């Protein structure tokens, strides 16, 4: 048997240890998936719902516009109910309707609430447009000016396209860091490190096996995330260079394992390691852009985010999975991640101790 | 006979504490060697230096003609070390555990399974290590130390925290290993264990070896009285005091105890008086030697 056989057998043992650890399975696979389901379900759909408009009495202008609606645009935007003035206003107040509209002769009155500015804005502009169109029709002349809107795809990504890569980033960071720090402290306090030191197998083989198992688990997490997010309910559409997420994940895992090793080499007890790891992972997940898009964050937060390695992993994955950038776009992020991994590994090696005393 | 272990002038200091203070000993091939001492006597540090886990400040160690420090990959396959019973990979069964350790030494799965048989754990092969009892875990950790068939085995307090059955059971395993021709070094603070298993013992305290020799020789060298007790009432204390060779007599109402350095004539005299009801003869033990050397005051 060779070193490679030892390596295989160690990897197998470590993987079995992981697979039988229900807690680890939950926190590395199920828990992030739960977040994906919740976030993806709540924020996933980008279409705004219809605005509810209550007609007080008859509003012929609006009714006519809805009947002569060749593009169907108005019908998709507005849903009409009927009530008397008091009932309509109550509905608006309670948020059951977005606006109440009444017409007396040539005058249209829109009652709206300021609670939902987007919807009240939509209602006002819709009624305005309806009135304008009616005026134009009344005059019998074609409109001099027409407006054609065209949407420009912006850089900001919303919904499932954002949450799939960034929640995965958080899942990888937490699995990598907890895995490495806990394993190292546990092996040291239990005396397993000493025992391994007294076996003729080269020490890099032992650590190599641990890294390979972590990489395998991470690629499994990636596969599960991609499969779930592409279900019709979530509707993730992968961009052409999505496969670059595989090398990105590898680089990310190496980085987080190294960081976890720093914590594990430094911490004396499992409790310390756990607390310190959580203190790093959670702020990193928030400020590194795993739970909300940093495009809308204040400038200082965007600046701070570049301190965290997770930011580079998230950005790289967003670029290739959601923004449709080419495979080469991920290289800078991969380089930065590997750089951090090397530095952290060197620090961990300096802090490394074989035994607890 | 060549020496398997040769230790000369070992010293190790931790801060203000001189943990090991000039330890020298030799262990010939095939010997069962014990290191005894109270907590903090320096036996664990000595063992760790000998195994190659720590570097000595001073002194020289050779195992099988090789130096254990720095980490010597040529030596490692030839020695087996049993550390605490918890030094396992998590959530593996006994069989998987032993196979994994075996694979580190290039030992086949079949040979690893045989070792499970040797330590009597074949029935527990599919039980996870966390579910094993204390004695079973100890046996598994010994199996992990033996799986690659080493010439020299180190056992650090293998029977600590075991119940009497498990200890006896483990002694049988250890004796079988030694009979196979291996050299064994054992630390313990159970005197009966050392007396029963070891060919020679070294008694350590405060970083030094105080006495070294076969347990029986150490006990004889102590010149402690033998205590002969018979049931109370078969003989008056006065009469017992009159017997030749008697040093001391006491009677607590249950037993009459006679201390003597000439047990054969005292027993003969008691026999002549037909006063041997419930007789028990107790010589000094290694424990007496140990307490004589290290003192009786309590040390944490």
């Amino acid at each position: 048997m060779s070193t490679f056989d030892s390596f295989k057998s160690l990897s197998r043992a470590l993987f079995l240890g992981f697979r039988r650890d229900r807690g680890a399975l939950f926190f590395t696979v199920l828990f992030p998936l739960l977040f994906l389901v919740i976030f993806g379900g709540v924020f996933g759909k980008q279409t705004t719902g219809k605005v509810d408009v209550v007609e007080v009495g008859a509003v012929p202008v609006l009714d006519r516009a809805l009947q002569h609606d060749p593009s169907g645009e108005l019908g998709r935007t507005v849903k009409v109910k009927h009530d008397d003035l008091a009932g309509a206003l109550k509905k608006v107040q309670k948020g059951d309707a977005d606006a109440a509209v009444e017409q007396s002769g040539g005058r249209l009155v829109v009652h709206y609430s300021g609670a939902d500015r987007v919807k009240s804005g939509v209602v006002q502009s819709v009624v305005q447009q309806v009135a304008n169109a009616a005026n134009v029709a009344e005059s019998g002349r074609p409109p001099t000016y027409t407006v054609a809107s065209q949407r420009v795809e912006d850089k900001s990504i919303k919904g499932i396209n954002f949450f799939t890569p960034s929640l995965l980033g958080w899942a990888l960071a937490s699995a990598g860091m907890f895995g490495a720090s806990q394993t190292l402290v546990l092996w040291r306090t239990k005396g397993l490190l000493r025992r391994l030191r007294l076996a003729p197998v080269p020490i890099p083989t032992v650590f190599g096996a641990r890294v390979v198992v972590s990489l395998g688990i991470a690629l499994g997490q990636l596969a599960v995330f991609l499969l779930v997010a592409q279900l019709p309910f979530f509707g993730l559409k992968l961009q052409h260079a999505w496969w670059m997420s595989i090398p990105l994940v590898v680089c990310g895992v190496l980085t987080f394992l190294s960081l976890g090793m720093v914590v594990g080499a430094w911490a004396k007890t499992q409790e310390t390691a756990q607390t310190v790891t959580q203190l790093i992972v959670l702020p990193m997940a928030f400020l590194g852009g795993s739970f909300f898009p940093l495009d809308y964050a204040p400038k200082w937060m965007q600046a701070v985010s570049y301190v965290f390695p997770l930011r580079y992993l998230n950005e790289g994955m967003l670029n290739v999975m959601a923004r449709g950038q080419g495979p080469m776009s991920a290289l800078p992020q991969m380089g930065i991640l590997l750089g951090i991994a090397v530095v952290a590994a060197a620090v961990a090696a300096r802090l490394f101790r074989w035994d607890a005393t | 006979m060549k020496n398997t272990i040769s230790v000369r002038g070992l010293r190790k200091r931790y801060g203000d504490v001189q943990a090991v203070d000039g330890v020298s000993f030799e262990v010939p091939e095939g010997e069962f060697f014990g290191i005894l001492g109270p907590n903090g006597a320096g036996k664990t540090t000595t063992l760790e230096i000998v195994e190659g886990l720590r570097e000595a400040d001073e002194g020289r160690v050779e195992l099988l003609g090789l130096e254990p420090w720095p980490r010597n990959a040529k030596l490692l396959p030839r020695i087996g070390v049993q550390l605490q019973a918890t030094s396992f990979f998590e959530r593996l069964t006994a069989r998987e555990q032993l196979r994994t350790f075996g694979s580190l030494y290039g030992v086949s799965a079949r040979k690893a399974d045989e070792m499970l048989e040797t330590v009597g754990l074949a029935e527990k092969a599919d039980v996870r290590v966390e579910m094993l009892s204390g004695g079973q875990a100890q046996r598994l950790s010994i199996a992990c130390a033996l799986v690659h068939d080493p010439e020299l085995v180190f056992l650090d307090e293998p029977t600590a925290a075991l119940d009497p059955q498990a200890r006896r059971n483990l002694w049988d395993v250890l004796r079988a290993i030694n009979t196979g021709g291996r050299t064994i070094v054992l630390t313990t603070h159970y005197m009966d264990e050392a007396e029963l298993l070891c060919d020679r013992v070294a008694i350590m305290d405060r970083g030094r070896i105080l006495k070294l020799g076969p347990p029986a020789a150490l006990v004889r060298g102590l010149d402690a009285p033998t205590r002969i007790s018979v049931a109370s009432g078969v003989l008056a204390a006065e009469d017992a005091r009159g017997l030749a060779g008697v040093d001391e007599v006491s009677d607590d109402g249950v037993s009459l105890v006679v201390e003597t350095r000439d047990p054969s004539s005292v027993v003969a005299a008691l026999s002549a008086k037909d006063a041997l009801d419930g007789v028990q003869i107790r010589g000094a033990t290694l424990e007496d030697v140990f307490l004589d050397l290290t003192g009786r005051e309590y040390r944490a």
Side-chain angles (χ1 to χ4, degrees):
Chain A
M1 281 224 299
S2 61
T3 304
F4 184 64
D5 290 311
S6 306
F7 175 78
K8 273 196 304 191
S9 151
L10 271 170
S11 305
R12 185 173 169 278
L14 294 173
F15 180 72
L16 278 177
F18 169 78
R19 213 188 58 195
R20 291 174 186 165
D21 184 354
R22 298 233 173 98
L25 269 182
F26 176 77
F27 277 107
T28 52
V29 182
L30 277 182
F31 194 54
L33 210 56
L34 207 65
F35 268 63
L36 183 71
V37 169
I38 294 169
F39 281 17
V42 172
F43 305 111
K45 300 277 190 293
Q46 290 188 38
T47 49
T48 331
K50 288 183 175 181
V51 288
D52 290 321
V53 173
V54 188
E55 290 186 359
V56 179
V59 185
V61 177
L62 187 56
D63 292 341
R64 226 176 296 142
L66 278 166
Q67 275 157 27
H68 306 283
D69 183 18
S71 64
E73 180 80 44
L74 193 59
R76 277 200 296 277
T77 316
V78 177
K79 192 177 159 201
V80 173
K81 295 183 215 169
H82 297 272
D83 207 337
D84 59 8
L85 184 59
L89 289 180
K90 188 165 252 173
K91 280 205 177 85
V92 174
Q93 270 168 6
K94 282 169 70 181
D96 292 341
D98 298 302
V101 180
E102 53 181 332
Q103 180 179 5
S104 54
R107 188 178 147 83
L108 280 166
V109 182
V110 181
H111 305 271
Y112 66 93
S113 129
D116 188 338
R117 284 165 192 276
V118 175
K119 285 197 168 170
S120 62
V122 168
V123 172
Q124 289 176 67
S125 84
V126 162
V127 175
Q128 189 76 53
Q129 277 174 39
V130 167
N132 284 346
N135 286 336
V136 169
E138 202 85 353
S139 71
R141 288 211 314 242
T144 317
Y145 303 104
T146 55
V147 178
S149 332
Q150 269 183 337
R151 185 172 168 181
V152 176
E153 283 299 328
D154 53 23
K155 241 189 82 184
S156 68
I157 305 282
K158 296 180 204 78
I160 195 74
N161 295 327
F162 167 77
F163 283 115
T164 309
S166 47
L167 284 176
L168 178 63
W170 165 62
L172 294 173
S174 118
M177 285 200 63
F178 276 105
S181 66
Q182 293 293 297
T183 304
L184 194 50
V185 174
L186 196 67
W187 284 13
R188 187 173 58 236
T189 51
K190 289 201 317 182
L192 188 58
L193 275 183
R194 290 153 53 103
R195 181 66 188 80
L196 290 171
R197 192 187 187 191
L198 289 171
V201 63
I203 296 304
T205 307
V206 179
F207 285 91
R210 184 67 186 81
V211 170
V212 162
V213 169
S214 277
L215 285 174
I217 293 167
L219 293 175
Q221 286 175 291
L222 173 68
V224 169
F225 255 67
L226 291 185
L227 288 176
V228 170
Q230 288 187 86
L231 294 175
F233 177 72
F234 299 106
L236 172 70
K237 294 267 181 298
L238 284 175
Q239 300 297 315
H240 66 283
W242 71 269
W243 49 269
M244 273 305 276
S245 59
I246 295 170
L248 268 165
V249 163
V250 170
C251 294
V253 169
L254 293 176
T255 307
F256 296 121
L257 283 179
S258 306
L259 288 172
M261 295 280 276
V262 173
V263 176
W266 167 82
K268 286 201 166 56
T269 66
Q270 263 191 293
E271 288 76 15
T272 315
Q274 207 157 4
T275 313
V276 171
T277 308
Q278 192 61 271
L279 281 176
I280 298 173
V281 170
L282 212 57
M284 178 161 78
F286 273 102
L287 296 173
S290 271
F291 296 141
F292 53 85
L294 286 168
D295 305 307
Y296 308 119
K299 280 274 174 287
W300 67 265
M301 201 187 273
Q302 296 197 18
V304 167
S305 72
Y306 286 102
V307 171
F308 299 105
L310 183 53
R311 166 77 207 228
Y312 302 98
L313 179 61
N314 283 344
E315 195 165 276
M317 295 219 288
L318 273 171
N319 285 346
V320 294
M321 283 167 71
R323 291 196 178 117
Q325 298 193 17
M328 292 303 159
S329 71
L331 294 182
Q333 279 85 10
M334 284 167 62
I336 292 169
L337 286 171
L338 287 180
I340 299 172
V342 168
V343 173
V347 174
R350 283 296 301 257
L351 294 173
F352 184 82
R353 285 162 294 162
W354 285 101
D355 41 280
T357 49
Chain B
M1 200 165 8
K2 67 176 188 215
N3 283 324
T4 300
I5 303 178
S6 155
V7 176
R8 247 163 292 150
L10 223 53
R11 275 175 220 280
K12 178 81 182 175
R13 171 178 279 278
Y14 295 120
D16 293 341
V17 184
Q18 187 72 47
V20 180
D21 191 10
V23 166
S24 302
F25 62 89
E26 260 145 24
V27 180
E29 193 182 326
E31 188 173 67
F32 205 131
F33 186 78
I35 302 178
L36 305 181
N39 290 336
K43 49 186 198 304
T44 300
T45 308
T46 303
L47 203 64
E48 284 175 348
I49 294 171
V50 173
E51 290 163 351
L53 283 171
R54 289 183 196 279
E55 188 179 13
D57 296 340
E58 254 180 77
R60 202 179 152 77
V61 180
E62 271 188 18
L63 305 181
L64 305 159
L66 298 167
E67 288 188 32
W69 184 275
R71 192 170 181 267
N72 187 341
K74 278 210 189 65
L75 176 63
L76 295 175
R78 300 175 66 189
I79 67 172
V81 178
Q82 176 253 341
L83 298 167
Q84 305 103 311
T86 52
S87 305
F88 294 131
F89 292 102
E90 306 97 271
R91 289 174 289 279
L92 295 191
T93 66
R95 182 190 287 127
E96 289 163 347
Q97 195 72 240
L98 200 48
R99 285 185 177 182
T100 305
F101 270 106
S103 79
L104 303 181
Y105 291 87
V107 170
S108 68
R110 192 180 47 81
K111 261 199 77 185
D113 293 351
E114 280 172 20
M115 183 52 67
L116 215 51
E117 200 92 39
T118 307
V119 297
L121 281 178
E123 280 171 34
K124 300 286 172 187
D126 295 315
V127 175
R128 295 210 194 154
V129 290
E130 289 86 358
M131 300 295 151
L132 294 176
S133 73
Q136 290 162 352
Q138 282 290 14
R139 275 186 280 158
L140 181 60
S141 87
I142 288 170
C144 289
L146 294 174
V147 67
H148 56 292
D149 202 10
E151 298 157 55
L152 170 59
V153 185
F154 294 95
L155 306 167
D156 194 3
E157 299 188 359
T159 60
L162 294 190
D163 59 44
Q165 282 85 355
R167 282 179 71 202
R168 254 147 246 279
N169 188 306
L170 201 59
W171 290 348
D172 294 338
V173 173
L174 296 181
R175 252 193 238 106
I177 296 163
N178 184 233
T179 312
R182 291 188 188 84
T183 309
I184 301 184
V185 177
L186 164 105
T187 68
T188 181
H189 38 230
Y190 292 115
M191 298 304 133
D192 51 345
E193 185 167 299
E195 208 163 352
L196 211 80
L197 292 173
C198 297
D199 299 318
R200 284 193 310 150
V201 296
I203 298 180
M204 277 190 81
D205 197 16
R206 299 178 208 279
R208 296 163 180 274
I209 292 183
L210 303 177
K211 272 251 157 71
L212 197 159
L218 294 184
V219 171
R220 272 201 297 276
L222 190 59
D223 190 31
T226 301
R227 295 154 63 85
I228 301 168
S229 69
V230 292
S232 230
V234 297
L235 188 71
E238 309 305 311
D239 300 339
R241 233 167 244 128
L243 299 174
V246 168
D247 296 342
E248 202 116 356
V249 174
S250 62
D251 191 337
D252 61 1
V254 179
S255 305
L256 173 82
V257 179
V258 176
E259 290 190 9
T260 173
R261 286 184 165 71
D262 183 9
S264 29
S265 45
V266 173
V267 171
L270 286 173
S271 167
K273 289 182 181 295
D274 195 18
L276 281 178
D277 272 7
V279 70
Q280 280 190 328
I281 303 173
R282 226 170 295 161
T285 63
L286 198 55
E287 188 146 346
D288 299 304
V289 178
F290 182 80
L291 292 173
D292 184 61
L293 288 170
T294 61
R296 281 171 191 273
E297 82 274 22
Y298 175 73
R299 284 185 241 159

